[in-house]
Amino acid sequence: MRIKDICIYLFFVIPFFCLSQEEYYSSLTIPEALSSHANAVVRKNDVVVSLNSPKEMVVVVKRIVTILNKEGNKHVDAYAHYDNNIKIKSINALIFDAKGKQTKKIRKNDFVDVSAVDGGTLYSDSRLKFLGYTPINYPYTVEFTCETVTNNTAFIQAFTPLEGYYVSTENSSYTLNYSSDITLRKKEENLNGIELETNETSNQSFYKVTNLLALRPESHSPGLNAVMPKVLFAANKFALTGKEAQADSWDEFGKWIYDDLVKNASDLSPETVAIIEDLIKDEPDDIAKAKKIYEYVQNKTRYISVQVGIGGWKPFNASEVDELGYGDCKGLTNYTMSLLKAANIESYYTVLYAGKNQRDIDKDFVSMQGNHVILTLPTEEGDLWLECTSQKAPFGFIGGFTDDRDVLIITPDGGKIKHTKKYSSNDNLQTTKGSCELLSNGAIIAQANLISEGVQYDNKYWLETETSRDLDVYYKKRWKYINNFTIDKIHIDNDKENVKFHETIDFVASNYSKVIGDRILFSVNMLNRNTYVPDRYRNRQLPVKIYRGYKDIDEVEIKLPEGYKIEAMPEAIIIESQFGKYKAVVNEKDSKTLIYKRVLETKDGEFSKEEYNDFRSFYKNVSKSDNLKIALIKI
């Protein structure tokens, strides 16, 4: 090629190359479809993970994201964790205005350096460097580059091109390089229907996704983790803080956790063992002994997060928790397990994902998973699950934080996947018995007696320790549909033995009924009215997920005011749907008394997005029926 030709080539190609890079810096080049419903647009996100050996992993990130408004600031994601086992080799950022002009350069020393844990953590060696940029105008664009190296290869970053709600992705790529002595496992989820490019070789896995539109949250849908496209990775050979391991099955994986993290942490002093022996000497069986020990732990210890040890996964020794009187979920679970062991009672350290919305340990993908630890106590009647971080939970009750999900049980012989207790609609029962006296001036005098079980117990037992003022606020909020509401008396009884929560509330409400000439109009459901109607969506995108069903059984005796009679008895209301059942009926006990009975049962399950309108209609009809009004007429 002649010099003249080369010059002509460079004249055209170099500007094109610069433009192809710089087009991501200007918000003006964002396709309209990507900015719709978005607070931020990931213009380009390239992640390269190099698994050089089971003991070394290098991660290089280059990220360009345009922030469209104030709500998008949390999606800058220009940060890096580091600790004794993760080193930041380089980190910097560039800021661009709406037209793509560079306005600021941030070097490593200019990043904000803070502890990576909140104030509820006692201490931790985990720290965080993040971009502390405060924007003046919107939109703006951030280019972030970072390189880290770690000896923790147990956690390989997943490919997750959709980064959150109200965030769209223009380009996102992921490259995983790995050495020939490592066998790589991967699992693809939710990749259908997207613009995807892949390439697989003997030592490399590559994915690229383009033009992912922003997703808006929708009520009663699965969690984002369940619907977002992602690719999970794990290696058969890995290391945790430089300590090597190998596992191809949950059995091997659990054996490694037991041998390396749990086995040698069960030390107790002879004095503590003697205390436990004395504590349980009069108990008739192992269940009674275990309950006594569980309550001993509740009274002796408190929960506090402690992020130290092998990657935050190794529990404190039982002797340390015994001496200090506190621990995190790992330490308190291990401590309880050690005390039970001193009483010759077998129990198992158990790893899981905790949270109100159930998430399973992925039994088809062997890897480091979970965010919490509880204890499994095998019995002849089945497994009991012990939440060792709670000072209030009844023995054997786990509630909505760890119910109905696959968990990994760590035994001396290896790991086992099991499923925690599922609370059915009948388990999640609230029974209401009440009495209401209607007065001729429109006021009511009422008493409500409620018994809550299952997850409905879980939602309320914390009320036991609330102040009178806080309880007053709580009940007025619960019965927000009653105006001019004054509580005269509250009595609460937390029956931990039977796991039932009892509430008795006496109250009065002036102007509850509407007095119109010779008539009084009142809503017959005074004590448990459902006012909730799910949001409406014109174009629902996500499926319907109902995590738990429940059942309410109500019976209220209503005394009519002197000189009035019911004008017309309403017919029974019956609603049946795949989402639940409802029945409400009003009967005359005598000429002065009505009996209102109501049963509402909702069901858990997964349903298609097309069924959402039926789901909404069910609740809308229940709400309408719960607002049933009866007219009284003067005799």
Side-chain angles (χ1 to χ4, degrees), residues 54-99:
K55 294 181 67 174
E56 183 185 84
M57 181 168 62
V58 178
V59 180
V60 178
V61 176
K62 183 172 182 179
R63 172 184 179 81
I64 303 173
V65 57
T66 298
I67 308 303
L68 301 177
N69 53 49
K70 185 177 180 181
E71 293 298 318
N73 284 327
K74 58 180 172 287
H75 300 295
V76 169
D77 284 350
Y79 66 87
H81 289 275
Y82 72 96
D83 56 27
N84 293 333
N85 302 288
I86 305 173
K87 308 302 179 188
I88 300 175
K89 295 184 69 174
S90 65
I91 185 170
N92 59 72
L94 301 175
I95 311 296
F96 301 87
D97 65 15
K99 295 181 179 180

Side-chain angles (χ1 to χ4, degrees), residues 30-168:
I30 299 175
E32 184 178 350
L34 292 177
S35 60
S36 178
H37 308 303
N39 296 324
V41 180
V42 178
R43 313 301 306 279
K44 186 175 176 61
N45 188 58
D46 297 328
V47 177
V48 179
V49 179
S50 297
L51 196 56
N52 297 328
S53 75
K55 294 181 67 174
E56 183 185 84
M57 181 168 62
V58 178
V59 180
V60 178
V61 176
K62 183 172 182 179
R63 172 184 179 81
I64 303 173
V65 57
T66 298
I67 308 303
L68 301 177
N69 53 49
K70 185 177 180 181
E71 293 298 318
N73 284 327
K74 58 180 172 287
H75 300 295
V76 169
D77 284 350
Y79 66 87
H81 289 275
Y82 72 96
D83 56 27
N84 293 333
N85 302 288
I86 305 173
K87 308 302 179 188
I88 300 175
K89 295 184 69 174
S90 65
I91 185 170
N92 59 72
L94 301 175
I95 311 296
F96 301 87
D97 65 15
K99 295 181 179 180
K101 180 182 177 182
Q102 183 180 322
T103 60
K104 195 174 183 64
K105 183 174 184 177
I106 298 95
R107 295 180 174 84
K108 183 175 182 179
N109 291 337
D110 299 323
F111 278 73
V112 181
D113 194 315
V114 297
S115 172
V117 294
D118 60 26
T121 299
L122 183 63
Y123 56 89
S124 172
D125 59 6
S126 182
R127 297 193 64 81
L128 178 74
K129 279 186 177 292
F130 72 92
L131 177 65
Y133 174 71
T134 302
I136 300 174
N137 297 304
Y138 298 94
Y140 69 96
T141 297
V142 178
E143 180 186 82
F144 172 69
T145 58
C146 179
E147 181 177 358
T148 59
V149 60
T150 179
N151 61 7
N152 277 340
T153 61
F155 302 93
I156 301 176
Q157 181 175 332
F159 177 47
T160 52
L162 186 64
E163 300 183 2
Y165 292 116
Y166 300 115
V167 185
S168 58

Side-chain angles (χ1 to χ4, degrees), residues 397-417:
F397 178 77
I398 54 175
F401 194 56
T402 54
D403 67 324
D404 191 20
R405 64 202 74 193
D406 287 341
V407 300
L408 175 63
I409 295 180
I410 308 302
T411 78
D413 299 321
K416 312 291 181 187
I417 299 291

Side-chain angles (χ1 to χ4, degrees), residues 502-515:
H502 298 257
E503 304 163 89
T504 300
I505 302 95
D506 295 350
F507 67 89
V508 297
S510 60
N511 301 320
Y512 177 80
S513 307
K514 184 176 288 187
V515 181

Side-chain angles (χ1 to χ4, degrees), residues 253-298:
F253 197 86
K255 180 67 173 170
W256 166 70
I257 291 178
Y258 180 81
D259 288 342
D260 283 20
L261 306 183
V262 178
K263 182 179 179 179
N264 296 322
S266 295
D267 59 329
L268 289 172
S269 69
E271 291 79 11
T272 298
V273 172
I275 290 172
I276 294 302
E277 289 174 346
D278 184 65
L279 178 72
I280 63 173
K281 64 182 180 182
D282 297 325
E283 298 303 324
D285 53 48
D286 282 354
I287 297 298
K289 292 175 183 178
K291 182 180 178 183
K292 199 83 170 183
I293 291 171
Y294 180 77
E295 292 171 347
Y296 173 83
V297 173
Q298 286 184 309

Side-chain angles (χ1 to χ4, degrees), residues 428-448:
N428 302 326
L429 176 65
Q430 176 185 276
T431 304
T432 302
K433 290 252 184 180
S435 60
C436 294
E437 181 181 356
L438 291 172
L439 303 183
S440 58
N441 62 1
I444 59 170
I445 302 172
Q447 181 181 87

